[in-house]
Amino acid sequence: MKRHVDDLAIFGGQPAFLYPLFVGRPNKFDRTRLFDRLNWALDNEWLTNGGPLTSEFEHCVAELAGVRHCVATCNATAGLQLLAHATGLTGEVVMPSLTFVATAHSMRWLGLEPVFCDVDPRTGCIDVASAEATSITERTSAIIGVHLWGQSCAVVELEKLAADKGIALFFDAAHALGCTSFGRAIGGFGDAEVFSFHATKVVSAFEGGAIVSDDDELAHRVRALRNFGIGLTGGNAAGGTNAKMCEASAAMGLTSLEAFADAVEWNRANYESYRSELEGLPGVRIVEMPETERNNYQYVIVEIDNEVSGMGRDLLMQLLRAEQVTAKPYFSPACHEQEPYRSRGRVELPHTERLSARVLALPTGTGVSSEDIRRICNVVRLAASNGPEITARWQRTNPHRTAEAGA
Ligand code: T4K
C-alpha cells in the first residue's frame, strides 16, 4: 500500500496494479451455456428475424421489468429511435444534459431537436421543475428521462407533467435493468422505456437493447418498425428500419441474464467496500444509491470537490490511470457542452455543469475484487488527503498539461 505522495506512479512510484482495471469490463457468465446456445442456433439454421432465442430473451426481460411487452433491438440507441418514429415525434425533445450522448444523438439523427434541462444536484437525474420552467415549448413533443447510474428519475412528477402537456414520455433506462422506483420495477413507466445490453452493461448481449412497455399498440408498432415496417397496416411516415436483435446476441443476453443476480450481489458488495473505504474522506462523495430501492450497482460514482480536496477530478483520473486504474468521467462533458450542441448557443445548466466536472466512475463488476478496491481507495485517499501538494507538483512538472488535466 502507498503511504507517501512519492509512492504515486504519476511521480515515478510503482503502479498499484500490474494489469489495467477498467470500468465496463464484461461480467462473468457461463461460457459453456453460451456455446450451447450458439450451437443450438447454428443447428437450427435460424440466426435472426425474431428467432426463438430472441423471443425467449424478450420474455425474460419483460418479466424482469414487470411489463407485457419487450421488443429486443440491436442496441438502445436504435430502440430510442424506434420509439420516436412509432409515436411520430416532431420538433423538440426535452432531456437532461447529464447523460451519455446517445440519448441526444438518437433524436438528433432523426431531425428532432434535443433540448436540455438541468438535473438534481445530488442524483444527477432530470430536474422536473427545470424541465417545465425552462425547456418545454409548444414545439416539444416528448420528454426523455434518464435513470442515471440506475437511479430512478422522478417518474410520478414526469408522468404528471407529460400528461398535463399532452406529450410523450420515454425513459432511457440503459443503466437501470433490475432497478426499482417506489418499489416498482423500472420498465413500466411513461409510454415506454429502453434498456441497453451493450458489452459494458451489467447484462450484455454483446450489443443489444430492448423497448419495454405496457402499451399494446405502441409495442406492435415498434416491433414492426424494427423489421422494415413489415406488417404495419397503413405504414409509417418513415417507413421502417432494421434494428433487430440477432440470435447470437440473444444467446449472450440469455446467458448473461442467468448471471445477473450474482453480478448484482457482487456489485453491491463492491459498492459497500468503496463506501466504507472512502467514508469521511473530505472532498470525495460517493453517490449513494437509495436503500429503499433495488439497484444493480453497475456504476460506482464519486464526486470530487476540488475546493475541499485541492485536486480536480481530471487530475485524479490521470493519477489513477498511472496506477493502471482506468476510471471514466461518466458523463463529461455534458451533452450541451459538446458538439453539435455547444455551438447552438450557451445554455445555463449549473447543476449539470458542476456534476459533470466532478463525477468519476470507478471500476467495479465481477472482475474487480474487494482487495482491488482497497488498493484503488488507498490511492484515492492518499491523493485526496494531499490534493494541494499533488496539484502543485503536477503543475510544476507538467505546465503544458495542467489545463488538460483540470488541475
Ligand atoms: N443511454 C445511456 C444513458 C447510455 O449510457 C448508453 C450507452 C446509451 C443510451 C446507448 O446504449 P447503446 O446504444 O450503446 O446500447 C460506453 C458504451 O459504448 C455505451 O454503450 C455506454 N452507454 C457508455 C456508458 O459506455 P464509452 O465511450 O465509454 O465506451 P469505451 O469503448 O470507452 O468502453 C468503456 C469501458 O468499457 C472501458 O473502460 C473499456 C471497457 N470495455 C469496453 C468494451 C466495449 C471492455 O472492457 N470490454 C468491451 O468489450 O461508451
Side-chain angles (χ1 to χ4, degrees), residues 23-25 75-77 100 172 174-175 196 198 200-201 328 330:
V23 169
R25 267 276 184 261
N75 57 52
T77 305
F100 191 55
D172 177 334
H175 302 173
S196 170
H198 181 262
T200 55
K201 295 290 183 274
K328 296 279 284 188
Y330 286 149

Side-chain angles (χ1 to χ4, degrees), residues 21-26 73-80 98-104 106 146-149 172-175 194-201 206-210 299 321 326-331:
L21 255 79
F22 290 101
V23 169
R25 267 276 184 261
T73 54
C74 52
N75 57 52
T77 305
L80 289 167
L98 191 68
T99 179
F100 191 55
V101 77
T103 318
S106 61
V146 179
H147 301 304
L148 191 71
W149 310 316
D172 177 334
H175 302 173
V194 179
F195 295 122
S196 170
F197 299 103
H198 181 262
T200 55
K201 295 290 183 274
F206 298 124
E207 286 273 3
Y299 293 103
R321 189 154 297 191
T326 308
K328 296 279 284 188
Y330 286 149
F331 290 102

